Amino acid sequence: YWNGGVKWVSLADSSKLDDRYIFETDKEISSKGIENSSAVLHEKNAVVVCRDAGIGKVAILGTDNMAVSQHFIAWRCSEKLNFKYLYYWLQSQKNVLEQIATGTTIKTIGLSFFKNLQIPLPDVKQQEKIGDIFWLIDEKILINEKLKAKLTSLKKGLSQDLLSGKKRTV
């Protein structure tokens, strides 16, 4: 059932979570694998959250026809629930989710918790505004992180040149 072309979000993708979208997955499953399991295909912009071994890590599916392992809960958003709003709301609940998890070896949040989960839902226009505000803040953070990396690299090179005597100050 493996290597069949259907992107399969699993614990192997933990490092890709919490960066808004997930486009690529470590594993792929076949259509037969989907047919012979309880897995379902999800649409682009479905929101997934890890319920064990990385509890509370969240991602938005970046393409149509992605599936998730049993370690994840997926929401299909609609005209009543904005995917960006849900993504950021779930991120804000990470500490709560970690506290709810139970188990000795691997902590898990049971399915019943998610079936009964109540998400505060302002009207859709408000959800969109809230999601867009956080989205823009994340964009600014990404830009600043790239700038910081460039400046750090420049400083390192300049430090080596100045402190080794390769370059002199005037």
Side-chain angles (χ1 to χ4, degrees):
Y1 296 138
W2 294 108
N3 304 318
V6 176
K7 296 188 184 319
W8 178 255
V9 181
S10 69
L11 293 178
D13 299 306
S14 290
S15 66
K16 299 172 193 156
L17 304 176
D18 287 337
D19 287 335
R20 297 188 292 184
Y21 280 107
I22 183 167
F23 292 97
E24 296 299 323
T25 58
D26 188 62
K27 298 179 183 343
E28 292 184 354
I29 193 170
S30 67
S31 296
K32 275 191 170 188
I34 297 290
E35 292 168 13
N36 290 293
S37 71
S38 60
V40 295
L41 295 176
H42 297 285
E43 297 176 359
K44 178 181 179 178
N45 294 334
V47 178
V48 298
V49 64
C50 190
R51 62 188 197 97
D52 55 30
I55 292 168
K57 286 190 165 224
V58 187
I60 301 166
L61 300 184
T63 62
D64 283 328
N65 298 318
M66 293 179 83
V68 300
S69 73
Q70 70 273 16
H71 302 283
F72 292 85
I73 298 294
W75 280 268
R76 292 182 181 145
C77 297
S78 66
E79 63 278 346
K80 293 181 181 180
L81 179 59
N82 179 272
F83 69 97
K84 290 178 186 176
Y85 173 82
L86 177 60
Y87 172 82
Y88 288 111
W89 184 82
L90 286 168
Q91 280 204 324
S92 76
Q93 299 301 301
K94 194 172 287 199
N95 288 339
V96 173
L97 295 174
E98 288 171 347
Q99 291 173 4
I100 290 168
T102 59
T104 52
T105 307
I106 297 176
K107 293 191 174 218
T108 301
I109 301 174
L111 294 176
S112 60
F113 171 80
F114 291 102
K115 287 180 180 178
N116 296 315
L117 182 63
Q118 294 184 6
I119 300 168
L121 290 181
D123 68 76
V124 173
K125 293 283 186 208
Q126 276 297 105
Q127 291 179 46
E128 288 172 5
K129 285 180 184 177
I130 292 166
D132 287 344
I133 288 168
F134 285 118
W135 200 267
L136 287 172
I137 291 169
D138 273 349
E139 288 295 318
K140 298 279 187 200
I141 290 169
L142 289 171
I143 290 167
N144 285 318
E145 285 174 346
K146 287 178 184 177
L147 179 60
K148 180 184 177 197
K150 285 181 183 179
L151 291 172
T152 300
S153 177
L154 178 64
K155 177 186 172 191
K156 185 177 179 181
L158 190 56
S159 294
Q160 289 174 349
D161 288 346
L162 290 172
L163 298 173
S164 68
K166 280 185 179 178
K167 290 199 179 200
R168 300 224 175 253
T169 59
V170 181

